């Protein structure tokens, strides 16, 4: 491909949803989906995972031997895309982003060389891959930190929309806790369908086998409850449930705003200093989140629809929501310019939001490990270091 200047795409386990992000017309797709091995070292401290694996492959292997790893919260998410975009896990408050759990990347460079990137060998590439996406090479193996993990407490609770005041209060207390319980994780979703109207869904997790832990009690106690699956179980079971719920949502949340087969949700996720402060202990990452900024909130707008004729209508409405939200946050003095790459729309610039110094380091790594710019010019999918969806930057 380098000799013929062939355009190509890179597909791992399947993560980024927008068209052209991991496939290509009139080019070659490097499909890594068969490379999904999961191997544990003899001391049970490291898990080596292929780039085509999904997190279900990892958890099923580790559950059987009492181990865990910081990984995707939904079982069918691809390993490679989640990690190279940063990645949030149920263990983020204790261990940081998923990318911070990578001890070593094995990478195929544009030159054809295969190198390792870790704390002592190619540390600049190790840093860059922890959020820099597919800009430096093709990762052929991820070596992740493993830890003992038995059963955890987790599940989903759905409440009617009239519980909104209690939900907001509980979210604020969770995210602003002085003594943050790092075993806990949670996200809060607001969804709509024409049959039921608005409703609220909370996904809760506690990494210890403790039923009704104090940190989750304010959420567990909100009544009435339409749906409750909280139980002690393993990572495979809990993350599979989330995948099933998303599948159900895709078939039941229809006809919102008179658009056929549309699903809609806005999800709020706590991003306290307990999460953003962890990367320093693992060699750092380029994401650019400063724990000194205090508790922050990560917001995801999820929309799916079936008719291409509605593309402009839906995309315009989605952008309008973000524009209004940004204006309100700016007016309130709460706006943060950071964009999470794994949630970014194709017309956004998540890497540009990492900050000037981190972007400089990423570009420096690109020049060093991909001097001809193969992954900038021949891989049109994904988010680039010098180009924002067709607009060249300095």
């Amino acid at each position: 491909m380098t000799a013929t200047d062939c355009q190509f795409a890179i597909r791992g386990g399947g993560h980024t949803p927008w068209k052209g992000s991991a496939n290509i017309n009139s080019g070659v797709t490097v499909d890594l989906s068969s490379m999904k091995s999961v191997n544990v070292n003899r001391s049970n401290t490291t898990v080596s995972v292929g780039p085509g694996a999904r997190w279900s492959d990892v958890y099923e292997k580790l559950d059987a031997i009492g181990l865990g790893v910081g990984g995707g919260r939904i079982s069918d998410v691809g390993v490679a895309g989640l990690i190279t975009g940063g990645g949030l896990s149920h263990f983020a408050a204790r261990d940081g982003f998923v990318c911070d759990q990578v001890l070593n990347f094995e990478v195929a460079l544009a030159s054809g060389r295969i190198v390792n990137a870790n704390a002592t060998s190619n540390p600049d590439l190790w840093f860059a891959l922890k959020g820099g996406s597919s800009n430096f090479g093709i990762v052929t193996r991820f070596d992740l930190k493993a830890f003992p993990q038995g059963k955890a407490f987790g599940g989903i609770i759905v409440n009617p929309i009239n519980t909104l005041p209690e939900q907001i209060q509980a979210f604020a207390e969770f995210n602003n806790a002085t003594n943050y319980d790092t075993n806990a994780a949670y996200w809060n979703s607001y969804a709509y369908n024409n049959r039921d109207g608005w409703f609220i869904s909370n996904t809760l997790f506690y990494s210890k086998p403790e039923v009704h832990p104090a940190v989750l009690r304010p959420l567990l106690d909100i009544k009435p409850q339409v749906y409750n699956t909280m139980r002690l179980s393993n990572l495979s079971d809990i993350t599979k449930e989330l995948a099933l719920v998303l599948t159900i949502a895709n078939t039941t949340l229809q006809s919102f705003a008179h658009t056929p087969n549309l699903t809609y949700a806005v999800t709020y996720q706590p991003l306290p200093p307990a999460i953003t402060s962890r990367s320093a202990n693992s060699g750092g990452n380029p994401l650019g989140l400063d724990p000194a900024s205090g508790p922050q909130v990560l917001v995801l707008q999820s929309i799916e629809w079936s008719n291409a004729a509605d593309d402009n209508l839906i995309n315009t409405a989605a952008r309008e929501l973000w524009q209004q939200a940004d204006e309100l946050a700016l007016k309130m003095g709460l706006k943060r310019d950071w964009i999470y790459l794994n949630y970014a729309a194709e017309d956004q610039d998540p890497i540009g939001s990492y900050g000037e110094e981190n972007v400089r380091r990423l570009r420096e790594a690109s020049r060093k490990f991909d001097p001809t710019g193969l992954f900038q010019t021949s891989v049109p999918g994904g988010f680039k270091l010098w180009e924002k969806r067709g607009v060249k930057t300095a």
Side-chain angles (χ1 to χ4, degrees):
M1 287 185 286
T2 57
T4 60
D5 197 28
C6 175
Q7 298 278 289
F8 66 100
I10 306 164
R11 175 181 168 81
H15 188 277
T16 309
W18 42 270
K19 183 174 68 175
S21 57
N23 56 20
I24 192 169
N25 288 324
S26 302
V28 174
T29 296
V30 180
D31 189 345
L32 307 171
S33 59
S34 295
M35 299 174 64
K36 54 183 181 180
S37 61
V38 180
N39 298 302
V40 182
N41 70 348
R42 291 184 178 181
S43 60
N44 284 352
T45 56
T46 304
V47 182
S48 296
V49 183
R54 297 188 177 193
W55 289 104
S56 56
D57 300 313
V58 179
Y59 297 145
E60 287 170 8
K61 178 73 173 277
L62 298 187
D63 282 341
I65 54 177
L67 292 179
V69 69
R73 297 166 296 181
I74 299 175
S75 63
D76 60 1
V77 166
V79 168
L82 183 83
I83 292 176
T84 57
L88 285 165
S89 81
H90 287 310
F91 305 98
R94 189 186 71 192
D95 300 326
F97 282 84
V98 179
C99 64
D100 295 321
Q101 311 313 303
V102 180
L103 299 170
N104 179 72
F105 297 91
E106 181 186 79
V107 191
L109 301 178
S111 66
R113 291 176 56 225
I114 296 178
V115 301
N116 287 297
N118 52 57
T120 57
S121 178
N122 300 310
D124 43 359
L125 181 58
W126 182 51
F127 175 88
L129 287 167
K130 294 192 282 185
S133 196
S134 58
N135 284 295
F136 311 97
I138 299 175
V139 179
T140 53
R141 194 185 73 237
F142 299 86
D143 297 332
L144 307 172
K145 299 175 188 175
F147 48 80
Q149 180 63 46
K151 287 190 174 182
F153 181 63
I156 298 168
I157 298 176
V158 176
N159 304 98
I161 194 65
N162 61 11
T163 63
L164 179 62
E166 297 102 304
Q167 302 282 350
I168 293 174
Q169 182 65 29
F171 186 97
E173 290 177 357
F174 185 96
N175 201 26
N176 289 279
T178 303
N179 298 312
Y180 198 95
D181 189 334
T182 58
N183 294 297
Y186 141 70
W187 75 82
N188 173 235
S189 295
Y190 297 81
Y192 178 91
N193 67 52
N194 281 345
R195 185 189 65 189
D196 302 314
W198 287 97
F199 59 92
I200 302 168
S201 174
N202 288 316
T203 301
L204 309 172
F205 182 85
Y206 198 74
S207 62
K208 293 183 177 181
E210 182 179 336
V211 177
H212 292 240
V215 64
L216 298 180
R217 208 163 293 149
L219 293 156
L220 295 167
D221 289 344
I222 294 176
K223 299 292 190 301
Q225 296 178 353
V226 178
Y227 183 74
N228 185 330
T229 68
M230 298 300 298
R231 76 273 189 202
L232 286 175
S233 192
N234 56 38
L235 279 174
S236 296
D237 177 50
I238 292 171
T239 58
K240 280 180 181 177
E241 178 190 26
L242 298 183
L244 288 171
V245 169
L246 287 179
T247 301
I248 293 169
N250 286 341
T251 60
T252 58
L253 295 180
Q254 299 180 357
S255 302
F256 173 63
H258 309 293
T259 302
N261 302 314
L262 185 140
T263 69
Y264 184 84
V266 176
T267 300
Y268 298 88
Q269 300 175 61
L271 207 58
I275 294 176
T276 57
S277 64
R278 302 293 177 189
S279 68
N281 297 325
S282 302
N285 65 48
L287 301 180
L289 288 167
D290 185 357
S293 297
Q296 301 178 59
V297 179
L298 178 60
V299 184
L300 167 66
Q301 183 180 207
S302 305
I303 313 174
E304 295 184 13
W305 62 99
S306 58
N307 191 343
D310 294 318
D311 286 5
N312 187 60
L313 171 68
I314 300 300
N315 285 321
T316 299
R319 293 188 186 100
E320 178 65 21
L321 184 148
W322 285 133
Q323 182 178 342
Q324 291 184 25
D326 276 349
E327 290 172 356
L328 179 60
L330 183 63
K331 184 177 180 180
M332 298 174 67
L334 299 173
K335 188 175 185 300
R336 301 289 183 270
D337 290 326
W338 187 71
I339 299 171
Y340 179 38
L341 187 145
N342 287 337
Y343 289 171
E346 61 179 305
D347 59 349
Q348 292 182 298
D349 181 23
I351 292 176
S353 75
Y354 292 177
E356 289 184 10
E357 174 59 18
N358 285 320
V359 171
R360 183 195 65 77
R361 292 181 66 178
L362 292 176
R363 290 175 174 175
E364 194 173 83
S366 174
R367 292 188 185 100
K368 177 178 178 180
F369 294 100
D370 181 19
T372 64
L374 177 73
F375 291 96
Q376 300 302 305
T377 59
S378 295
V379 184
F383 299 102
K384 301 305 171 188
L385 301 178
W386 278 276
E387 188 175 323
K388 179 185 174 184
R389 308 306 302 159
V391 179
K392 189 81 171 177
T393 57

